[in-house]
Structure formats: structure tokens, C-alpha cells
Amino acid sequence: MGTTASAYLTGFGRYLPGDPVDNDGIVARLGGEDAVTARIRGMILDQNGIRQRHYALDEHGEPTELNEELAVKALTAALDDRGIRPDDLRMLATATTIGDVLVPGFASMVHGRLGGGPMQLLSASGVCASSLQALDAAVSKVKLGDHPRVAVVGSELASRSLRQRRFDGIRAGMDSHFLRWMLSDGAGAVVVEFQPHPDRPSLRVDWVRHVSLAHEHEVCMRAGMDGTEPEVGRTWQDAGIGEAEASGMFVLRQDVSVLDDLAGAGLRQFEELVDIGLVDVSHLDHVICHYSTNAFRDRAFDGLRKRIPTLDTDRWFSNLETCGNTGAASIFIALEEAWRTGRFAPGETILLAVPESGRFSFAFAHLTVVAPPDRQGAP
């Protein structure tokens, strides 16, 4: 019998635009100085724990870069980290919530700016979990033997939708303002190959899992429709652009009342992975979990301790406080930092976890740190 094909993460990159913006500097970029908005902003910032973030906006709140540019800069960093060029890629998988243009797809725009030769493309759309959907596709193609080397990037440029002009005339409330003070910009990328890096450790991708619970849950995070469910004649494509803007259809909204349900559903999905044997909690060395707020993390810790009384929360890594919530880019931005700062050693295991509130979906990936080929098996 032949050996099972493998896929390895061999290069890592990220890009965070501009200088970091602390909590006192947000208003200069996004606006929103009225008393009601200020009160909501203060409540959200107190809960989420984010101390600084990055925006592709100048000091006057004007855009400085495109989303595709963020993606290319993260990809270039990952390719440089691996020591290869765009011409060495045979596939590019991208993930973002909202691209710069409606058509063509985001992957096409990124490929056009990145360059390189002919390659397969995938544009994964959705929200946060789309990054691991893109990774899943890339890993599958590598394991099938279709491509020896693939790049994956998650990129977000939310700030353009968070500026005051989008909120003029819209009633200030939690559903419309929650994400305004949560989201920021950035991109993270990885290189996937059929063999490990020749002279340094790599991360073997053991498996990737994604599950949607949309059949059980209504829409939670949304934009482009009037109300909480799409109806014929009540989406942004049915209304004129001015009418859609005036009615708030272009505001990215979040039903905060169901976020506790999201945390509970995510814990159940994790427990299922443990029950079927995909995760061995006694040999899980690191967890990198994307979450939008420290309050969500605390609820997750409380739930996990009921199942794992000996849970060591030091094994969890997040850079939410210093890099912000960058949606589909967050998991790769966190993985890059954990890798670059030397948190991993050969033989250790890593679980990536990404809950997505759009209509409740969850993505996980299990990685194992492997030594370079000439050192595998060495004491």
C-alpha cells in the first residue's frame, strides 16, 4: 500500500496597513463623535479588549490601499519567507468578506496584481471561516497531487464600510455599530506544499473541517438586505444604490443577542471533534482561536473547563488585542505571529479554530510541527 499524501505549511506572511491605531485614535479615522455613538463605542471597546488595530485609511479617513493590495503584500511576505516566487505557484486560494469590486472575483484580482504564471484560482466568500475553507481547498489539491505548491491568503479591508458617511441618517444601535468598533484591516497568507521545508520546521496539515449550521439558525451578521432575512424586492440589488444606502443596507450589521448561542454551538462542535477522536486534548499543545471579543474567549474557557478541568489556557494564542479583528485574515495573522515568535517545536500539535457568526458556521484545522527532512527521527 502507498503512503498517505501529505500537505505542509512552509511559508508564512502577513500585512497590517499603516501605523497601529489605539482606541483614542479611532474617531479620527472613522468619525462618530456624537454622544450616543460615543457611548456605544465605549461599551464595545471595554468588552472586546482590543487595544490597537490597523486601517488602510490616512489620518483624514481616506483610503490608502485596496483589499487586493493588502492580500498581495501578505502573499509576497509568505513567498519571501519560503524563498520562492509567484511563478512557482500553481494555485491561489483567497478568502475575504467583501472584495474591492463586484466582478471579477477576488482571486482573479489578486492574481492579476501578484503576477506569476497560469494557475488555478479559488475565491472563497463568506466571513471569518472562509480562510479555512480556502485552506481546505488548497490542501486537498496538494494531497491529490494536482499541484505541488499553493498559496492561500485571507484579506479584509473593512474600514471603508466603517466610516461615518456610511452611518449618516442611520439610527445608532448595537446591531449597526457593534462591528464598526470591532473590525479592522489586514491580510495573512501561507504557502502549502506536498513536502516539508527542506531546512527548517514545517506545519503538517492533518485535517481541515468546516460545518455550517445555517439550517438551524437565522442570519446573524449581514449586509445588503432590508431586515434580517432576504426577501424578493428587499435586497441591495433590487433597490437603487441611493435608496439602498439611505436605508442602511450597506451597513454591516450583527445581531448581538445570539452571540452566546454562537459560543455554545462552537463548543459543541469542538466536543464532537474530541468525541470522534480527531482531537486528543491530552496531546494538544497549542490552540489558535479567532474570536471577535475577549468576552467570547472567556465564555469559551468556561465551557471548555467543564469538559477539560485541567485546561491550560496558556496553550491558547490570540493577537486580537494588538492586531484587531481582521475577519477572514485573523487566523493566518495569528498563526504567522505564533510561528515567527517561536511558540512551536517539532512534534507539537496545533488546533486552529474559527467561529463565523454570518449564519453560524465553524472551521477547524489540526496541524503538527515536523522537523526538516534531514532531521526527522533525530533525538
Side-chain angles (χ1 to χ4, degrees), residues 152-304:
V152 184
V153 63
S155 184
E156 301 282 17
L157 206 168
S159 61
R160 290 177 299 196
S161 299
L162 307 178
R163 293 174 293 168
Q164 182 60 40
R165 67 193 69 176
R166 187 60 57 83
F167 292 83
D168 287 341
I170 307 300
R171 184 186 68 83
M174 272 296 181
D175 79 320
S176 60
H177 278 257
F178 180 74
L179 293 171
R180 186 181 185 188
W181 312 115
M182 300 284 283
L183 301 178
S184 54
D185 306 334
V190 295
V191 175
V192 187
E193 296 188 73
F194 74 100
Q195 58 188 359
H197 194 290
D199 46 36
R200 74 177 192 193
S202 304
L203 303 183
R204 186 183 70 229
V205 183
D206 301 314
W207 50 259
V208 184
R209 299 275 291 234
H210 176 264
V211 60
S212 165
L213 302 182
H215 65 300
E216 298 176 350
H217 298 273
E218 295 184 352
V219 174
C220 175
M221 181 178 173
R222 64 200 187 276
M225 59 186 181
D226 185 9
T228 58
E229 289 292 330
E231 297 180 18
V232 174
R234 298 184 64 187
T235 73
W236 72 271
Q237 295 199 74
D238 300 307
I241 297 299
E243 179 186 350
E245 178 102 34
S247 65
M249 288 189 191
F250 292 129
V251 170
L252 196 58
R253 299 175 183 270
Q254 177 92 68
D255 184 354
V256 297
S257 68
V258 299
L259 290 182
D260 282 341
D261 295 338
L262 181 71
L267 287 169
R268 289 190 292 274
Q269 291 301 314
F270 173 79
E271 290 176 344
E272 182 176 314
L273 297 176
V274 174
D275 291 340
I276 65 179
L278 282 178
V279 173
D280 180 354
V281 294
S282 64
H283 294 92
L284 185 59
D285 298 296
H286 306 277
V287 176
I288 300 179
C289 183
H290 162 65
Y291 42 82
S292 59
T293 169
N294 281 345
F296 188 100
R297 175 204 63 190
D298 295 341
R299 287 194 290 270
F301 282 171
D302 290 343
L304 286 172

Side-chain angles (χ1 to χ4, degrees), residues 117-173:
M119 62 181 73
Q120 180 179 349
L121 298 179
L122 172 72
S123 298
S125 63
V127 197
C128 305
S130 60
S131 52
L132 292 191
Q133 292 175 4
L135 179 66
D136 191 16
V139 167
S140 296
K141 297 300 282 187
V142 169
K143 286 188 173 184
L144 281 171
D146 287 355
H147 302 302
R149 190 176 285 127
V150 177
V152 184
V153 63
S155 184
E156 301 282 17
L157 206 168
S159 61
R160 290 177 299 196
S161 299
L162 307 178
R163 293 174 293 168
Q164 182 60 40
R165 67 193 69 176
R166 187 60 57 83
F167 292 83
D168 287 341
I170 307 300
R171 184 186 68 83

Side-chain angles (χ1 to χ4, degrees), residues 85-142:
R85 297 168 51 84
D87 304 63
D88 297 312
L89 300 176
R90 294 297 175 265
M91 179 179 176
L92 171 65
T94 67
T96 192
T97 303
I98 303 173
D100 300 297
V101 297
L102 297 178
V103 177
F106 191 61
S108 293
M109 300 306 292
V110 174
H111 180 207
R113 185 173 291 272
L114 176 69
M119 62 181 73
Q120 180 179 349
L121 298 179
L122 172 72
S123 298
S125 63
V127 197
C128 305
S130 60
S131 52
L132 292 191
Q133 292 175 4
L135 179 66
D136 191 16
V139 167
S140 296
K141 297 300 282 187
V142 169

